[in-house]
Amino acid sequence: MISFLLSIGALILGYFTYGKLMERIFGVDKDRETPAVRLRDDVDFMTLPTWKVFLIQFLNIAGLGPIFGAIAGAMFGPAAFLWIVLGSIFAGAVHDYFSGMLSIRHDGLSISEVVGIYLGPTAKQFMRLFSVVLLIFVGTVFLVGPAKIIDGMTGNIWNVWIWVAIILVYYVLSTLLPIDKLISKLYPIFGVAMLLMAIGLVIALFFGDYNIPELVPANLRNMTNDPEATPLFPILFITIACGAISGFHATQSPLMARCMKNETLGRKIFYGTMVTEGIVALIWAAAAMTFFGNVEGLNGAMIANNNNAAWAANEISLNMLGQIGGVLALLGIVAAPITSGDTAFRSARLILSDIFKSNQKKIVNRLLISLPLFVIAFVLTQIDFGIIWRYFAWSNQTLAMIVLWTITAYLIYENKAYWVTLLPAIFMTMVCSTYILIAPEGFQLPNDISYIGGTLITLTITIAFWVYTAQKKKVFVGV
């Protein structure tokens, strides 16, 4: 329990200290008009109350990530606590803050366009394709997945495709309607529900007969059943993404960058929501390690249920929170993926509108861009995503890696403290390159060869980055 409380305290302290440092390095301008004010169109660009922006951003970036990822990551033991704390403070929150603030400084542009400004046209074209495909993929999976869950919860009274159709209609509306008509009204409710569920778990952990393992040297090891098949590095750092660092966040931040009324709110909105998500991930990881008796019990239960984190989350909620937990679990396990799906489609629309310079004030323009997205998504629902889905975690962290390199380039060009993103960029490059070499869905190379290969790839990317930025800095015009 002591390590758990210290971990939460460290995250809160990180917000007030390291978060403040990030704000100082960026250099917020309280007198500078934000895109929400300067480019208001009452569709995507408009000011919203700060508390709503916070809750929308929190749910945008969270979804099921800090629940399912934390449960799966808890199978490694208390080392998960360490990654959540250090990852959130020094990587995830930094990634989210600078990607959001750079979007604000560039008229609310999508992350692909921001990458292009600092890493060049080739990187921009790659990111356009990469991010749109990733977002359509997320939207599709969170179209079918929740439909199947609801169908099961309702006793199969309707065909699963009826639920798919209902969710798809909601996705269409949330993608096309102005952000204050649907998203800003529903998201705060779901965001509060997720926070209440986390608070309820903390109360249960405190007053129940639970023993949270401590962060002591004996526990800082790989506690999975087969450490050789699931090495702590890099598997843990891919498994826990949204609770530590996630590239998906960079696709979501521009939505709120277009709704903030002042730059000074950036630390609260971007850094603060990531820290909040880290706390939620800590709580779920602690609950998973204790509810099943211990870490070994968690591993046994997960293996017996095909590593189904949704099952584990439902068991934890119902047994630790009772009937209220059942309602909150419904909101979390069903509503959370749906809210990730709808903003995925909305983000894809914004990226495509940035690419084609399409004015989104007219609904016909929004429809022309969005319709192909939904057609593609519906076609993809006919495909078995069992194998493809495993690549999402790696793709997500690869996106985070690219964004970290982008922010580093910005800081270099501006003669600012670039080390704050350089170090996590190098680390995440090592994680992503090693993972794809070692993972079953990757090249399945032996562990030692994968580590060597990951190191060589990281060195190559780092050297190429320094050569590129050194050349571009001579002609770069600062923002």
Side-chain angles (χ1 to χ4, degrees):
M1 182 67 76
I2 294 175
S3 299
F4 172 67
L5 293 176
L6 288 175
S7 295
I8 291 179
L11 283 171
I12 296 173
L13 182 63
Y15 169 77
F16 288 104
T17 56
Y18 205 67
K20 189 69 175 178
L21 176 62
M22 298 304 101
E23 187 177 56
R24 189 178 304 118
I25 289 173
F26 180 78
V28 295
D29 183 354
K30 63 182 180 62
D31 297 319
R32 182 169 181 154
E33 280 191 332
T34 61
V37 176
R38 189 174 61 258
L39 303 174
R40 182 175 183 122
D41 64 0
D42 292 321
V43 177
D44 300 307
F45 292 88
M46 69 178 73
T47 57
L48 294 176
T50 303
W51 68 272
K52 278 194 173 185
V53 175
F54 180 92
L55 286 173
I56 294 171
Q57 174 70 6
F58 170 67
L59 202 59
N60 274 354
I61 67 173
L64 291 174
I67 301 177
F68 289 5
I71 291 173
M75 296 170 70
F76 287 87
F81 291 157
L82 205 57
W83 167 232
I84 291 170
V85 173
L86 298 179
S88 293
I89 295 173
F90 299 108
V94 175
H95 165 280
D96 290 9
Y97 177 75
F98 278 102
S99 61
M101 295 307 292
L102 285 176
S103 178
I104 288 178
R105 284 289 174 89
H106 291 286
D107 295 335
L109 281 178
S110 303
I111 190 59
S112 57
E113 309 308 293
V114 174
V115 169
I117 292 171
Y118 297 104
L119 294 185
T122 301
K124 177 170 68 175
Q125 297 303 331
F126 171 79
M127 279 293 291
R128 283 174 169 177
L129 178 63
F130 186 81
S131 56
V132 170
V133 169
L134 187 68
L135 288 168
I136 293 176
F137 178 58
V138 171
T140 304
V141 171
F142 287 148
L143 174 61
V144 179
K148 290 181 177 179
I149 294 174
I150 297 173
D151 187 52
M153 288 181 170
T154 55
N156 310 111
I157 59 173
W158 290 352
N159 186 286
V160 67
W161 292 106
I162 294 178
W163 292 112
V164 168
I166 292 172
I167 296 173
L168 185 60
V169 170
Y170 166 75
Y171 281 177
V172 172
L173 293 175
S174 62
T175 301
L176 296 181
L177 290 177
I179 198 165
D180 65 330
K181 300 303 181 186
L182 195 59
I183 289 178
S184 73
K185 288 180 170 58
L186 291 178
Y187 270 47
I189 298 173
F190 296 142
V192 169
M194 182 172 285
L195 291 175
L196 288 176
M197 184 160 48
I199 292 170
L201 288 175
V202 170
I203 294 173
L205 287 170
F206 267 98
F207 295 100
D209 185 21
Y210 299 106
N211 183 28
I212 303 175
E214 301 291 347
L215 265 170
V216 294
N219 286 336
L220 288 178
R221 58 185 175 85
N222 190 338
M223 299 177 74
T224 58
N225 283 1
D226 190 354
E228 181 65 24
T230 55
L232 193 146
F233 185 93
I235 305 297
L236 173 63
F237 305 96
I238 295 289
T239 302
I240 299 180
C242 286
I245 180 172
S246 167
F248 179 70
H249 296 186
T251 68
Q252 301 304 292
S253 293
L255 271 68
M256 292 301 96
R258 302 180 185 208
C259 297
M260 289 167 51
K261 55 188 175 184
N262 197 285
E263 283 191 359
T264 57
L265 299 173
R267 179 163 66 99
K268 181 183 297 182
I269 302 303
F270 300 121
Y271 202 100
T273 52
M274 181 63 239
V275 167
T276 304
E277 185 181 31
I279 293 174
V280 171
L282 272 177
I283 293 169
W284 276 98
M289 290 182 205
T290 57
F291 174 75
F292 295 99
N294 50 36
V295 177
E296 289 75 16
L298 168 64
N299 275 275
M302 288 290 282
I303 291 173
N305 289 275
N306 299 314
N307 289 315
N308 189 342
W311 167 84
N314 194 51
E315 288 293 305
I316 292 170
S317 299
L318 292 176
N319 287 278
M320 293 183 72
L321 300 177
Q323 291 183 342
I324 296 176
V327 175
L328 293 175
L330 178 66
L331 287 173
I333 298 172
V334 176
I338 290 176
T339 55
S340 292
D342 65 5
T343 51
F345 283 119
R346 192 177 185 96
S347 297
R349 172 176 69 79
L350 295 179
I351 291 173
L352 291 172
S353 68
D354 286 342
I355 293 173
F356 296 111
K357 303 292 188 295
S358 172
N359 186 334
Q360 295 295 283
K361 191 171 180 62
K362 296 180 179 179
I363 192 169
V364 65
N365 291 345
R366 283 174 259 156
L367 185 61
L368 287 174
I369 287 180
S370 302
L371 189 58
L373 298 176
F374 294 120
V375 171
I376 294 172
F378 184 77
V379 171
L380 291 177
T381 60
Q382 312 303 308
I383 301 175
D384 181 6
F385 279 91
I387 297 176
I388 303 176
W389 176 245
R390 294 203 297 266
Y391 288 96
F392 171 74
W394 173 80
S395 301
N396 183 44
Q397 297 302 65
T398 300
L399 179 58
M401 174 197 79
I402 296 171
V403 173
L404 284 171
W405 283 117
T406 300
I407 301 166
T408 304
Y410 156 76
L411 294 172
I412 289 174
Y413 302 149
E414 294 292 319
N415 293 312
K416 296 180 178 180
Y418 60 82
W419 57 270
V420 297
T421 50
L422 173 64
L423 296 180
I426 292 174
F427 178 77
M428 290 307 298
T429 303
M430 184 67 181
V431 167
C432 294
S433 55
T434 304
Y435 181 86
I436 199 64
L437 294 176
I438 208 171
E441 62 270 24
F443 293 94
Q444 303 182 48
L445 298 178
N447 292 4
D448 53 351
I449 295 178
S450 297
Y451 294 138
I452 294 172
T455 301
L456 292 175
I457 293 172
T458 302
L459 285 172
T460 301
I461 291 175
T462 303
I463 292 172
F465 172 81
W466 281 114
V467 171
Y468 176 81
T469 53
Q471 292 174 343
K472 189 171 182 180
K473 188 176 181 181
K474 299 176 183 177
V475 297
F476 187 83
V477 178
V479 179

